Amino acid sequence: MTKIIAFESSADETSVAVVEDGHIVLSNAVATQINSHQRFGGIVPEVASRHHIEWITRVLDEALLTANVSPDDLDAVAVTYGPGLVGSLLVGLMGAKSFALAHDLPIIPVNHLAGHIAAANFNAPIIYPALALMVSGGHTELVLMTSENDFAVLGETRDDAAGESFDKVGRLLKLPYPAGKTIDEMAHRGQATVKFPTAMAHEDNYDFSFSGLKSAVINYVHHAEQKGESINQNNLATSFQNAVVDALIGRTKRALEDFPVKSFVLAGGVAANKQLRDTLEILLKQFNDTQFIPVPLEYTGDNAAMIGAAGYWNFKQRIFADLDLNTNPGLDFDLIKQ
Ligand code: KG4
Ligand code: ZN
């Protein structure tokens, strides 16, 4: 059995976890800073770094305590080195390196996006070839995995990420940041009264675009304000969310038709969206040979357990880093040429 301790600090969650064999979570300690960033309507990088420094040792202690392991029981230290905010990433990286040095453990460099996808293994083992829809605050990608730890991007967003569009519409509606969960809940109380455009639906690729939708929502709200009309926010949330889900489903369907896969993974913070999960489950009924493996709800947002899951892939392939490992804030998967 392989026990990996994992560090994640790419954005506004400080997290340390202990994961066994890439799929058994022994602990997953997460300290969130959302309250500190809410009044600014987004993450303030400098504030985020300071919080990570304050919390990292406490979160580390909690992860070890909950997992009931001592450093001697561990086989390796996995750490997110990108993508993310450089100051935030550095804190987790320093924590991981210090721990590895002190306890003579190898360091595993982990791509945060691979972590989101690997978290599907907490639900059921991913079977290959697999397709993953990775939807978060910073990324919207359709990723083809022909085998474990092998990622090729079929399509990605040309502008805003899906989660970002939820957060921007949330800001317009004066909802607290991040707004995805709130809009999700509002949408279930409302009705679709406006038909917003689903961008690029007819284009012959797997890319996404959400900035046009965002502008359409902004225009709609401004027009109503100018006319002195009040807006039913729940109905607006439903109409907006329908357009986002339509766009995600349309691209996913096309990719599933073109690339027959054994499993389909839904990952990233937006994977918590109920309508998206439900609609994909229905879509997957059309693809008998493909198993739907959404990341369990509690692991959709940023957390270190997912880094432990992806770290195990690297561990098996002996992908380790030296103590001079640096952050890579713009780290990405490779895009397949279209
Ligand atoms: O993966 P994540 O925790 O952080 C990044 O790596 O970006 O994703 C955060 C994003 C935010 O934009 C948030 O609004 C969105 O995920 N989100 C949701 C829901 N829960 C979180 N979006 C739609 N519906 C949700 N239920
Ligand atoms: Zn993330």
Side-chain angles (χ1 to χ4, degrees):
M1 275 176 307
T2 304
K3 287 192 183 65
I4 293 176
I5 188 160
F7 288 71
E8 155 63 38
S9 67
S10 63
D12 57 351
E13 326 281 352
T14 319
S15 181
V16 179
V18 180
V19 179
E20 194 174 280
D21 292 341
H23 68 106
I24 303 162
V25 182
L26 301 183
S27 66
N28 184 39
V30 185
T32 180
Q33 322 171 350
I34 280 179
N35 290 344
S36 303
H37 300 288
Q38 235 157 24
R39 65 200 155 109
F40 301 111
I43 301 178
V44 184
E46 178 62 22
V47 175
S49 311
R50 283 166 194 267
H51 273 283
H52 286 307
I53 291 170
E54 273 172 37
W55 281 93
I56 190 135
T57 48
R58 282 185 263 184
V59 172
L60 167 63
D61 288 345
E62 191 192 321
L64 289 169
L65 198 73
T66 310
N68 197 19
V69 294
S70 75
D72 290 345
D73 302 323
L74 299 167
D75 297 285
V77 182
V79 59
T80 305
Y81 72 108
L85 300 166
V86 64
S88 293
L89 287 165
L90 274 169
V91 180
L93 193 60
M94 288 305 152
K97 282 185 190 179
S98 311
F99 191 88
L101 185 64
H103 302 290
D104 198 19
L105 291 165
I107 300 168
I108 307 171
V110 177
N111 180 328
H112 179 84
L113 308 177
H116 272 301
I117 295 172
N121 279 327
F122 300 144
N123 177 347
I126 302 174
I127 320 159
Y128 302 92
L131 183 75
L133 176 63
M134 226 290 306
V135 269
S136 70
H139 290 81
T140 305
E141 316 206 342
L142 271 167
V143 183
L144 183 66
M145 297 177 73
T146 42
S147 60
E148 190 172 282
N149 221 12
D150 175 76
F151 311 93
V153 177
L154 296 180
E156 59 188 355
T157 184
R158 302 239 176 120
D159 38 61
D160 294 348
E164 192 179 354
S165 73
F166 274 92
D167 298 336
K168 285 182 174 167
V169 167
R171 184 192 277 240
L172 178 74
L173 300 181
K174 301 193 172 53
L175 305 174
Y177 171 87
K181 189 166 189 290
T182 314
I183 292 182
D184 187 1
E185 288 160 2
M186 289 165 63
H188 287 274
R189 293 194 293 270
Q191 281 170 0
T193 47
V194 195
K195 178 87 184 115
F196 289 119
T198 301
M200 303 169 60
H202 305 292
E203 282 190 32
D204 188 18
N205 57 43
Y206 310 99
D207 283 347
F208 303 91
S209 166
F210 293 104
S211 74
L213 170 60
K214 173 192 64 192
S215 304
V217 176
I218 291 173
N219 286 341
Y220 177 83
V221 171
H222 285 172
H223 276 133
E225 278 169 1
Q226 276 163 6
K227 286 191 267 171
E229 291 169 7
S230 68
I231 286 173
N232 180 319
Q233 290 211 346
N234 288 347
N235 289 350
L236 188 67
T238 314
S239 308
F240 160 73
Q241 187 171 281
N242 278 352
V244 175
V245 172
D246 276 357
L248 294 173
I249 298 288
R251 289 328 208 194
T252 301
K253 183 165 187 269
R254 170 192 287 265
L256 284 169
E257 282 164 355
D258 294 352
F259 298 88
V261 287
K262 296 227 171 69
S263 58
F264 171 73
V265 168
L266 173 64
V270 183
N273 189 274
K274 189 169 185 323
Q275 188 181 344
L276 181 60
R277 288 174 94 89
D278 292 349
T279 317
L280 279 170
E281 196 173 339
I282 294 165
L283 173 73
L284 264 292
K285 290 199 170 39
Q286 296 174 26
F287 298 88
N288 285 331
D289 300 328
T290 308
Q291 190 184 341
F292 180 37
I293 313 182
V295 169
L297 271 184
E298 63 177 308
Y299 300 110
T300 50
D302 290 348
N303 66 86
M306 69 187 203
I307 303 306
Y312 184 59
W313 287 338
N314 285 351
F315 183 88
K316 285 190 284 184
Q317 296 180 1
R318 318 305 294 170
I319 299 172
F320 298 118
D322 293 326
L323 280 170
D324 63 0
L325 173 67
N326 207 345
T327 60
N328 186 347
L331 186 66
D332 225 330
F333 294 135
D334 288 336
L335 186 70
I336 290 183
K337 289 209 171 52
Q338 286 167 1

